[in-house]
Amino acid sequence: MNHRPYHHGDLRRTALEATAEAIKEGGGLAALSLRDVARRAGVSHAAFKNHFGTKPGLLTALAAEGYDLLADAVNAAGDDLVEAGTAYVRFAVAHPAHFEVMFRPGLYHADDPQLTAAQERANQALTSALSTSAGETNALAAWSIVHGFANLWLSDALPPGLDADPGTAARPVISLLSFIP
Amino acid sequence: MNHRPYHHGDLRRTALEATAEAIKEGGGLAALSLRDVARRAGVSHAAFKNHFGTKPGLLTALAAEGYDLLADAVNAAGDDLVEAGTAYVRFAVAHPAHFEVMFRPGLYHADDPQLTAAQERANQALTSALSTSAGETNALAAWSIVHGFANLWLSDALPPGLDADPGTAARPVISLLSFIP
DNA sequence: TGTACATCAGTGAACGCGCGTTCACTGATGTAC
DNA sequence: TGTACATCAGTGAACGCGCGTTCACTGATGTAC
């Protein structure tokens, strides 16, 4: 008999994972419900109140985690535009739920301090992959191309026949911008 | 007394407009409900059954309309990569609800004949903006950059200070790909 | 021009359901002394 | 080391609500003759 203890011990962590799973496997972010997340986490559906407050609170935490993961991934890629861009695409495909929530600020508390700090980290990471002489147009192009590729991949809109690994498929595309300093 | 007639006369048209409006002004696609659309259209919430069947049926019609509008917009731009790309961005911002639904095939009947025909039209329009010698990597880059810019704009994620018109703001970014034949 | 009738478009009530949040509670943990 | 007690984490029932869909219906339209 493995009777679960009354106290979960790591509910916050488990809840975030269950949320990402629910978005990925359930009907997407549109169909996300706290009760479904609770079921996946094996916990009462009222248990989240202590950790996150309400539903937007839960999504705030997920978005903040997403920005932190993105910052980590881009930082690990080093100060190289193509590598950083490839890391961006890989992050989006590896964490589709985080990625989707991050870009829907209407669903969470956009002014949460933890969240804005994580956004700032991600921003720094992305900026440092560009030379300071790159200019805004170049920066927008770089961000647009990786963001667009990631979204198209996640929408399953890209033509068949691409490499099965999104990073590998994206690299030649991103490399067209290699002239950016 | 302007007592509405029993028969609406143009409910299909009105319903699609009300749906786009509900997505734009209500809480986004996630919060879309048939009953809200019916309220906006001034009609019983059961009235859609005759025209669209169920909720996915309504979204199928909206997506099909979106692909047709996109095809029209890109065709009108002529066989020029930058102009076609700018038209893509303008379309997305002018019709955000259509654009959002189009790239969520899980929400509609992706095999609907009217829909697939419209998709084919849009595909043709986009393809013809590229020379046949352009190659797949170039095509993916062009699509990615305009799709990414449009999504970032709609997410309100772009830095402040850009031109208020999304087409004008996007043009210099897209122009970086002018080397594509 | 009139009339019968089939078809179509829209109504309004009803259904069963899952939702987010609140509430009083209980079990477990940790700290003060 | 023991004990009292405050705090915290999780429970389970309850609430009110809006949802998508179905149903029998009614008003309007169009067609056959």
Side-chain angles (χ1 to χ4, degrees), chain A residues 47-85:
Chain A
F48 298 141
K49 207 190 183 192
N50 296 317
H51 294 274
F52 304 104
T54 60
K55 195 182 183 186
L58 175 61
L59 293 179
T60 303
L62 195 75
E65 185 178 63
Y67 279 106
D68 269 325
L69 289 168
L70 175 60
D72 292 347
V74 173
N75 278 330
D79 287 355
D80 177 85
L81 179 66
V82 175
E83 289 310 311

Side-chain angles (χ1 to χ4, degrees), chain A residues 9-155:
Chain A
D10 200 12
L11 181 54
R12 185 186 163 85
R13 187 92 289 288
T14 305
L16 289 174
E17 283 166 13
T19 303
E21 185 186 298
I23 294 173
K24 219 179 314 182
E25 300 177 5
L29 183 49
L32 180 72
S33 85
L34 290 185
R35 291 169 109 107
D36 181 30
V37 174
R39 266 172 244 125
R40 291 171 189 270
V43 98
S44 155
H45 64 268
F48 298 141
K49 207 190 183 192
N50 296 317
H51 294 274
F52 304 104
T54 60
K55 195 182 183 186
L58 175 61
L59 293 179
T60 303
L62 195 75
E65 185 178 63
Y67 279 106
D68 269 325
L69 289 168
L70 175 60
D72 292 347
V74 173
N75 278 330
D79 287 355
D80 177 85
L81 179 66
V82 175
E83 289 310 311
T86 304
Y88 188 103
V89 172
R90 287 211 156 98
F91 160 77
V93 176
H95 304 284
H98 291 78
F99 188 68
E100 186 175 359
V101 173
M102 287 157 69
F103 288 95
R104 306 216 159 243
L107 297 182
Y108 54 78
H109 303 311
D111 56 350
D112 177 85
Q114 289 227 55
L115 174 83
T116 54
Q119 282 177 323
E120 186 51 37
R121 279 192 68 222
N123 226 321
Q124 291 281 352
L126 290 167
T127 303
S128 79
L130 293 164
S131 155
T132 53
S133 67
E136 184 173 55
T137 297
N138 283 330
L140 288 178
W143 193 12
S144 293
I145 210 167
V146 296
H147 193 74
F149 191 95
N151 270 288
L152 290 170
W153 182 285
L154 289 172
S155 297

